[in-house]
Amino acid sequence: MPAGPLDPRWADNANCGSCDAEALFSTSSEQREMRDICRNCSVRLMCLADALQSNMRYGLWGGLTERERRQLLRAVPEQADWYESITSSPDPVFVAIREGKPLRLSRRNAQKKEGERKGDEDDE
C-alpha cells in the first residue's frame, strides 16, 4: 500500500532523505540549496501539509521556510485539512504552492484588510 497524505511513510521518498539534516534547519545558503532539492521532490506537498498540520516551527519543510509557513498559517488560520487545500484549492496562494512559486502573502493580507475596512465603512 503506497504512503498517503500525512502518512509518515512519505518521508521515505523525500529527496532530502540522503542529505545532511542540519542543512534543513540552517539559516544560511545551505537552506537555499535545500530549497532547490525540495522544488523537484515528489512528496513536497505531503511534506508541507504535514509540517503545517503538525505546526512544525523550525526548518525547511515542503520548500517553505519557517517564516513562510508562519505567514501562511496567519493568512489562512482556520484550515482543517492542509493537504486537501494545498492539492486542490483554486485559491491563488495554494495554486502558487503547487506550482512551486514564491508566496505573495503580504499583498493578500493587505487586500484582505482593505476589504475589512471597506466593510466597516459600509456599516456606518
Side-chain angles (χ1 to χ4, degrees):
M1 180 174 179
L6 305 186
D7 179 330
R9 292 176 293 171
W10 63 258
D12 295 341
N13 298 312
N15 287 354
C16 63
S18 60
C19 298
D20 177 19
E22 291 291 318
L24 293 167
F25 295 92
S26 75
T27 56
S28 67
S29 62
E30 285 180 320
Q31 195 175 59
R32 284 189 295 279
E33 290 171 19
M34 292 304 294
R35 195 187 276 244
D36 290 338
I37 291 171
C38 289
R39 207 169 273 128
N40 297 314
C41 184
S42 64
V43 296
R44 179 178 62 87
L45 300 179
M46 284 184 260
C47 176
L48 178 58
D50 197 9
L52 291 166
Q53 207 73 34
S54 305
N55 199 22
M56 297 301 285
R57 295 176 188 230
Y58 303 104
L60 184 69
W61 293 88
L64 296 186
T65 64
E66 52 201 69
R67 181 178 182 190
E68 290 167 325
R69 288 193 314 280
R70 278 195 309 270
Q71 289 174 335
L72 183 56
L73 287 166
R74 280 194 302 268
V76 191
E78 304 204 11
Q79 200 57 244
D81 185 343
W82 281 103
Y83 184 76
E84 178 69 26
S85 296
I86 289 170
T87 58
S88 62
S89 173
D91 184 301
V93 170
F94 295 116
V95 171
I97 289 171
R98 283 193 298 274
E99 295 174 354
K101 293 181 180 175
L103 295 181
R104 304 277 187 233
L105 295 172
S106 59
R107 186 180 321 146
R108 174 190 171 107
N109 291 342
Q111 289 171 344
K112 184 177 177 182
K113 287 179 185 175
E114 182 64 31
E116 289 170 1
R117 276 189 244 132
K118 247 186 183 175
D120 292 343
E121 292 170 5
D122 293 341
D123 292 340
E124 292 176 3

